[in-house]
C-alpha cells in the first residue's frame, strides 16, 4: 500500500498510515477496531476482554463483518501474573481457527506460540518495554516489534526508559519492522518516531476519547480534562508497574505499597480488573486502576476515531513540510 507515509509497517499490515491502535483491555471492541480499519490504520481486539472464548470468537466474527475485508488483529496479553496453564494456548488455537491475520502479543516472550501462529499465516507484532526484550523477540522470530517507553498508559515495564531514548536505541539493534510507542499522540510525534528510525507508532491513550470506545461519557470527560501531570505509577511492588489516571484508588494503592509492600491480598480489592471495568461502565473514574498515559494531555475532545486519525495525518504532513523547510544553511552564509 502506498501513501505519504509508506513504511515497512504499512506494507506489513496493508494500511495507509503507519499507526497501530494497540489493544485496550475492556475497550478495544470490534466497533473501535473496525473504526481503526476504516480510518486507514490497524486495531487489535483484546482477547483479555472476553473471559469466555465463545464471546471472543463472536467478537472476531463481528469485527470481520464490520471491517469489510480491511485488516485487523487480536491482542494476546500474556502478563507475568498468568500462571502456566493459562488460556493463551486456547486463544492461540482460536485465532488460528478463525483465520485472524495479525496478532499483537505482549508480556511474556511469544516464542512457544510462534510456530503455530506462523503456520496459520499470522503475522506477530510483539510489544516490549525494553530494548533487551526487543532483541530477544527479534531472535525468537516475531515479525515486528513495538517498543513502549515510560510515558505509556498501561505497562511501561520496570526500568522506565523514555520513548525518545528507547526508540532511538531500538532502531540501532532491530532490523525487522519497528514501532515506537509511549506518549505518542500527534502527527509531529509520528514524524519524530520515523526520524528516529521507527517504521510506525502505536497509540493507546490518545484514542481513548474516540466516540467508538465503549465507555461512559463521564469517564471520557475526565480524560478530556486531564493533563500530562494527571497520571501516576502503581503496582511497582508487584513488579507489574502500571501507569494510570491519578485517582482515589492509585492513592490507596500507593499507600498500601509504601506501608505493606507488594501485599497482594491487601492490594487486590483495589487493583482487580472488575473495579476498573466498573469505571468505564459508570463513568466514576475515582476508583479503579485506569490505564492512562501522559499523552492524555492531547485528548482534548470526544470525536470519531477517523477525525482524530485525519488530524494526526494532517499534522504529520505539516511536520514533514516544516522539516523540509529547514534547508541546510551553508557555513559561508551563516558566518558572512
Ligand atoms: C486503557 C488501556 C488499556 C490497555 N490494555 C492493554 C492490554 O490489555 N494489553 C496490552 O498489550 N496493552 C494494553 N494497553 C497498552 C496499549 O496497548 C499501548 O501499548 C499503550 O497505550 C501505548 O502508549 P500510550 O498510552 O502512551 O499511547 C492498554 C492501554 C490503555 C491506555
Amino acid at each position: 500500500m502506498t501513501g505519504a507515509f509508506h513504511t515497512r509497517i504499512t506494507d506489513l499490515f496493508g494500511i495507509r498510515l503507519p499507526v497501530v491502535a494497540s489493544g485496550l483491555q475492556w475497550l478495544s471492541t470490534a466497533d473501535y477496531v473496525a473504526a481503526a480499519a476504516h480510518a486507514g490504520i490497524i486495531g487489535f481486539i483484546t482477547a483479555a476482554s472476553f473471559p469466555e472464548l465463545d464471546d471472543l470468537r463472536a467478537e472476531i466474527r463481528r469485527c470481520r463483518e464490520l471491517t469489510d475485508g480491511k485488516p485487523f488483529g487480536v491482542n494476546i496479553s500474556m502478563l507475568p501474573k498468568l500462571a502456566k496453564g493459562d488460556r493463551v494456548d486456547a486463544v492461540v488455537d482460536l485465532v488460528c481457527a478463525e483465520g485472524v491475520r495479525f496478532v499483537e502479543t505482549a508480556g511474556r516472550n511469544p516464542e512457544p506460540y510462534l510456530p503455530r501462529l506462523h503456520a496459520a499465516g499470522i503475522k506477530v507484532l510483539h510489544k516490549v518495554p525494553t530494548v533487551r526484550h526487543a532483541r530477544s523477540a527479534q531472535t525468537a522470530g516475531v515479525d515486528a516489534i513495538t517498543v513502549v517507553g515510560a510515558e505509556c498508559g498501561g505497562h511501561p515495564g520496570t526500568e522506565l526508559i523514555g520513548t525518545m531514548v528507547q526508540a532511538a536505541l531500538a532502531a540501532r539493534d532491530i532490523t525487522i519492522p519497528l514501532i515506537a510507542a509511549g506518549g505518542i499522540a500527534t502527527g509531529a510525534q509520528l514524524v519524530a518516531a520515523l526520524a528516529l528510525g521507527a517504521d510506525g507508532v502505536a497509540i493507546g491513550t490518545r484514542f481513548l476519547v474516540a466516540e467508538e470506545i465503549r465507555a461512559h461519557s463521564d469517564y471520557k470527560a475526565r480524560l478530556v480534562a486531564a493533563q500530562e501531570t494527571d497520571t501516576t505509577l502503581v503496582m511497582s511492588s508487584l513488579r507489574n508497574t502500571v501507569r494510570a489516571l491519578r485517582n482515589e484508588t492509585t492513592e490507596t494503592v500507593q499507600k498500601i505499597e509504601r506501608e505493606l509492600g507488594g501485599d497482594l491480598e491487601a492490594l487486590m480489592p483495589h487493583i482487580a480488573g472488575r473495579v476498573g471495568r466498573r469505571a468505564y461502565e459508570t463513568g466514576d473514574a475515582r476508583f479503579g486502576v485506569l490505564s492512562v498515559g501522559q499523552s492524555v494531555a492531547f485528548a482534548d475532545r470526544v470525536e470519531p476515531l477517523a477525525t482524530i486519525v485525519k488530524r494526526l495525518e494532517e499534522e504529520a504532513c505539516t511536520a514533514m513540510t516544516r522539516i523540509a523547510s529547514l534547508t541546510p544553511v551553508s557555513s559561508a552564509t551563516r558566518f558572512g
Side-chain angles (χ1 to χ4, degrees):
M1 182 145 314
T2 55
F5 297 96
H6 177 208
T7 71
R8 294 187 297 172
I9 285 297
T10 56
D11 280 347
L12 180 70
F13 294 122
I15 51 179
R16 190 171 50 78
L17 259 192
V19 176
V20 167
S22 268
L24 305 169
Q25 188 168 19
W26 308 127
L27 301 174
S28 52
T29 58
D31 304 280
Y32 170 73
V33 170
H38 289 292
I41 65 175
I42 185 166
F44 289 83
I45 296 171
T46 308
S49 304
F50 299 92
E52 299 298 331
L53 288 179
D54 283 345
D55 293 339
L56 174 60
R57 187 178 298 107
E59 194 74 352
I60 291 170
R61 292 182 181 178
R62 196 164 76 82
C63 196
R64 180 163 297 117
E65 277 178 25
L66 292 172
T67 46
D68 276 338
K70 295 189 172 61
F72 72 94
V74 173
N75 169 291
I76 306 179
S77 300
M78 305 174 286
L79 298 180
K81 66 180 180 207
L82 298 180
K84 207 164 183 271
D86 62 36
R87 57 175 211 152
V88 173
D89 258 315
V91 172
V92 167
D93 284 344
L94 191 155
V95 297
C96 292
E98 285 302 308
V100 168
R101 290 167 52 209
F102 303 104
V103 158
E104 177 187 59
T105 51
R108 302 195 304 265
N109 191 324
E111 192 166 5
Y113 308 102
L114 291 179
R116 243 187 301 161
L117 291 165
H118 282 156
I122 297 175
K123 299 287 184 199
V124 179
L125 167 65
H126 185 56
K127 189 163 57 178
V128 294
T130 70
V131 178
R132 183 167 45 82
H133 288 101
R135 282 195 294 264
S136 321
Q138 174 168 260
T139 306
V142 302
D143 300 285
I145 291 175
T146 301
V147 182
V148 288
E151 300 92 322
C152 73
H155 295 272
T158 52
E159 290 165 37
L160 301 175
I161 308 298
T163 300
M164 197 79 179
V165 169
Q166 188 103 284
L169 282 174
R172 291 201 313 205
D173 289 2
I174 300 304
T175 53
I176 61 176
L178 173 69
I179 292 179
I184 294 176
T186 72
Q189 287 173 299
L190 164 61
V191 171
L194 298 178
L196 287 174
D199 301 286
V201 296
I203 294 181
T205 296
R206 175 64 185 97
F207 293 158
L208 291 176
V209 293
E211 271 175 14
E212 295 84 355
I213 288 277
R214 201 190 307 147
H216 197 283
S217 58
D218 288 353
Y219 160 76
K220 292 186 186 174
R222 175 71 189 92
L223 297 186
V224 167
Q227 299 173 351
E228 68 277 22
T229 46
D230 286 338
T231 75
T232 190
L233 297 171
V234 290
M235 293 161 58
S236 311
S237 62
L238 301 174
R239 292 196 62 73
N240 193 20
T241 307
V242 174
R243 182 177 294 285
L245 187 68
R246 198 186 291 278
N247 62 9
E248 289 190 26
T249 293
T250 59
E251 275 180 31
T252 307
V253 168
Q254 285 166 343
K255 185 164 185 289
I256 295 172
E257 292 191 289
R258 267 194 315 273
E259 292 172 1
L260 303 174
D263 182 333
L264 196 54
E265 207 177 313
L267 289 169
M268 213 43 177
H270 308 283
I271 65 175
R274 70 189 137 72
V275 188
R277 191 177 188 183
R278 203 178 308 132
Y280 300 141
E281 286 163 5
T282 66
D284 185 352
R286 288 175 303 164
F287 302 105
V289 175
L290 306 177
S291 291
V292 172
Q294 294 174 338
S295 66
V296 71
F298 295 103
D300 51 4
R301 74 195 92 151
V302 176
E303 54 196 350
L305 184 61
T307 308
I308 301 173
V309 171
K310 183 163 177 284
R311 188 172 321 109
L312 191 140
E313 186 171 6
E314 287 164 0
E315 290 165 352
C317 290
T318 304
M320 293 285 271
T321 308
R322 184 180 123 71
I323 299 297
S325 74
L326 304 175
T327 45
V329 181
S330 78
S331 51
T333 318
R334 211 177 322 141
F335 300 115

